[in-house]
Amino acid sequence: MTPTAEMQRICQDKSTALLVLASAGSGKTSCSIQKIMYHVAEGDCNPEDILALTFSNAAAIEMRERLMLAASSDIAAHASIKTFHGYGNSVIRNYYHELKRSAPPSLINETEQLAVLIDNESRIDKKLGKSLLSAWSYAKQQTLNMRNREPLLSYLAQRGFPNPELCLDALYLFEEGKRQANVVDYDDLIRMPISLLTSNERVRSELQRHNRLMLIDEFQDTNRIQLHLACLLFNQNLEGFRSIVAIGDDDQSIYRWRGASTANIRVFKDHFNARMATLSQNFRCPAPVVAAAAKMIQHNTKRLPKQPFSAIPGEVPQVFGVRNIYDMAEAIASNVQSWLSTHAVGKELAILYRTNRMSHSLEAALNQRGIAYQLESNTVAFFERTEIRALMACARLLANTSDMMALRALQPYLKGVGKARMDGVIDTIQKNGGRIDCLLTLPESELPVAVVQVRRIVDELMVMGAAPGREGLEAFTDWIMRTGPLSVLNHESDLEMQRKREANVDLLVESICHEMTITDSDIWLDSLLNAALGQQPREHDIDGEGPVASRVVLCTIHNAKGAEFDSTIIAGMSENILPLIRSPAEASEEHLAEERRLAFVAMTRTKGTLVIYHADTFNFPGSDPIPSSPSRFLKEAGLEIAQLDRCVSTSTDMSLETFTQALISRMEPR
């Protein structure tokens, strides 16, 4: 991309603090890369003095890849380009002694968090435990901690917990249980570095000294503790060149439910007395799409002033209205079939919707027409798969030989080692120093069978995890699959499932090797552990494979954030769906502003056509039919609705299950 005058001014700006309001599709990543290259070329900073914080591994990898293409591998390899949580994890691993830990702590998943909570407080069942952990996570993101007992009790009472005192005591035991097990959860990756930077002047000075140029991407998605961490990492009063740059767009802030706040943009501006700049031109979407989206988003009266525009010619978004969700699904499937007939190769069409329950009828209609599609899933789904969980447990044990929770995670794959016997194994380890490698020093002839079995796995793990580089990683994963913990699954009768397991491991390996190439590193263990902090690994293009067939993607609007597609369909721009209003409280101005931003994000994903559908009635499993009118956002965007005839023989009171079965009975296997 040729830099615009706006981009050039931002790249060459040497202000101590700069706030860039970057509209959708305005080339903010290109601008960030050009700015990094400019300051290195000017001698303002060295690559190792640069910290860029992103919100996903994919964004961090893309920035490094594009730096390699635009500049030299030196900048991409030595600049610190990480997610917030990835950076926090590196701080914890580098300074674990200062955090009074005996070894770098392991990151545990939600299932393991629940186990810690319930193990330490038997009066908390799984249902209450899940709710309590969710509430505690949100509280930590709002900077509450265990020292705030009264505010926490008040908060738990407001959230409707029946016994706030019991719940708070359970959370105290939960945090102590994590400390004793030397494990951390996702929120700790931000909270613990903040605690360290606040209390340890030496560490704070050391980290601040390195951060001469600090960039924060998608700043509108930061929550309070991420903003706090960013402020602690930058010291504008140190000698030499210092600049912190926040890049974001309050029009695309869609994560209020997890603590993100557009107010952080104003706080940043005031705290650092930041100069403001804008990137207004959209290089992705056709002008009529940008005009409609901009007209709609102006109804958010508290937004920062800016006027997105595009010079790309194109069509005005089309809006169709149908009687019910089934007619909408069939109309969309028909539209997709027509699109595929004229876009057979190398294109991507996305069907976006507000909530996951919208996908059921869409999938059924696409299946009925034999249309292949990809359903975008979240990161947890990939890292919760059996083979990936076992692989990550082995990696955790390599990094932290005292991680008993990781050892427990391997128990289902160790033949002859039940839960009770695993308790005995762990008891043996605890009595002999608390590290799994202690088993290697004990006389095998005196050990129970279960301990001998685990001892063999530990011995092989230490050998297979020692080799660096791609060959080392492949040897490690091959051992896990062939003769290590997952060898027990080799006897499965489902050969297709075996193939899928191997494909998932191969995908993760390729992703880690790709990252090692970019960072010029042969240490695969850190990259593997950090992978769980981001999102599902990406499949990287392989040259010489010929034309790639066009594909259809189904995903929620939240999952589409940051993506772009050749054509986009929005399913269900209807009142009570988008905007989603389930109670009087959700009719507030603040909630509607967030829903309007969601619609703005959905509309600005397309590089070509945009088609929007409204239905008069929505039927979802387990609920009564939901009558609806066209979304207010359509009128605000200046778009008119064309009413379609019924597309399939269904009635508004037909159940979703009946409709789906009617389609499935005619489906061909995909």
Side-chain angles (χ1 to χ4, degrees), residues 647-664:
C647 302
V648 291
S649 180
T650 61
S651 62
T652 55
D653 59 352
M654 181 180 183
S655 74
L656 180 59
E657 290 80 4
T658 304
F659 172 69
T660 304
Q661 288 302 318
L663 294 182
I664 290 175

Side-chain angles (χ1 to χ4, degrees), residues 132-357:
L132 185 57
L133 287 175
S134 176
W136 177 223
S137 175
Y138 188 84
K140 287 190 285 187
Q141 291 169 22
Q142 302 307 308
T143 70
L144 287 174
N145 57 54
M146 285 299 173
R147 293 189 298 274
N148 309 123
R149 184 173 180 86
E150 291 306 318
L152 273 175
L153 285 172
S154 176
Y155 166 74
L156 292 172
Q158 290 173 3
R159 292 288 294 258
F161 287 96
N163 189 337
E165 290 278 357
L166 169 65
C167 291
L168 185 55
D169 289 342
L171 289 176
Y172 274 106
L173 293 172
F174 167 70
E175 291 297 328
E176 180 60 21
K178 286 192 303 173
R179 190 192 65 78
Q180 290 181 0
N182 196 28
V183 296
V184 294
D185 61 32
Y186 205 62
D187 297 313
D188 294 330
L189 300 181
I190 306 296
R191 185 185 62 82
M192 289 174 68
I194 287 176
S195 176
L196 181 63
L197 288 163
T198 303
S199 62
N200 192 311
E201 184 176 352
R202 180 186 65 80
V203 173
R204 183 171 66 251
S205 298
E206 189 172 310
L207 292 177
Q208 288 177 345
R209 189 169 63 252
H210 283 293
N211 298 333
R212 290 188 175 275
L213 176 60
M214 186 170 164
L215 291 91
I216 308 172
D217 192 26
E218 302 287 4
F219 194 77
Q220 76 280 351
D221 293 329
T222 56
N223 56 35
R224 289 177 66 179
I225 59 171
Q226 288 166 336
L227 174 64
H228 190 187
L229 177 60
C231 291
L232 286 170
L233 288 170
F234 183 76
N235 187 344
Q236 59 191 2
N237 298 317
L238 295 178
E239 79 290 343
F241 172 81
R242 300 279 163 180
S243 183
I244 183 170
V245 183
I247 305 171
D249 180 12
D250 56 333
D251 290 340
Q252 298 182 75
S253 179
I254 59 173
Y255 296 111
R256 187 169 65 99
W257 50 274
R258 70 181 188 197
S261 173
T262 57
N264 282 359
I265 294 178
R266 293 179 173 84
V267 172
F268 176 88
K269 183 179 183 302
D270 294 340
H271 179 81
F272 290 109
N273 192 25
R275 200 181 78 77
M276 284 184 63
T278 57
L279 289 173
S280 303
Q281 185 171 357
N282 185 308
F283 296 97
R284 175 194 302 148
C285 308
V289 172
V290 176
K295 185 175 182 180
M296 175 193 66
I297 201 64
Q298 286 177 359
H299 287 76
N300 278 0
T301 56
K302 295 181 180 179
R303 63 189 287 268
L304 294 167
K306 53 191 170 300
Q307 184 57 49
F309 71 95
S310 171
I312 302 171
E315 301 175 5
V316 173
Q318 293 179 292
V319 184
F320 296 113
V322 294
R323 289 184 57 185
N324 54 55
I325 191 172
Y326 317 121
D327 286 359
M328 182 178 72
E330 182 62 18
I332 289 174
S334 176
N335 188 332
V336 170
Q337 194 166 49
S338 298
W339 183 87
L340 287 170
S341 68
T342 56
H343 301 81
V345 176
K347 300 294 183 181
E348 196 171 45
L349 178 147
I351 304 172
L352 308 182
Y353 38 85
R354 176 63 179 86
T355 61
N356 281 311
R357 59 182 180 170

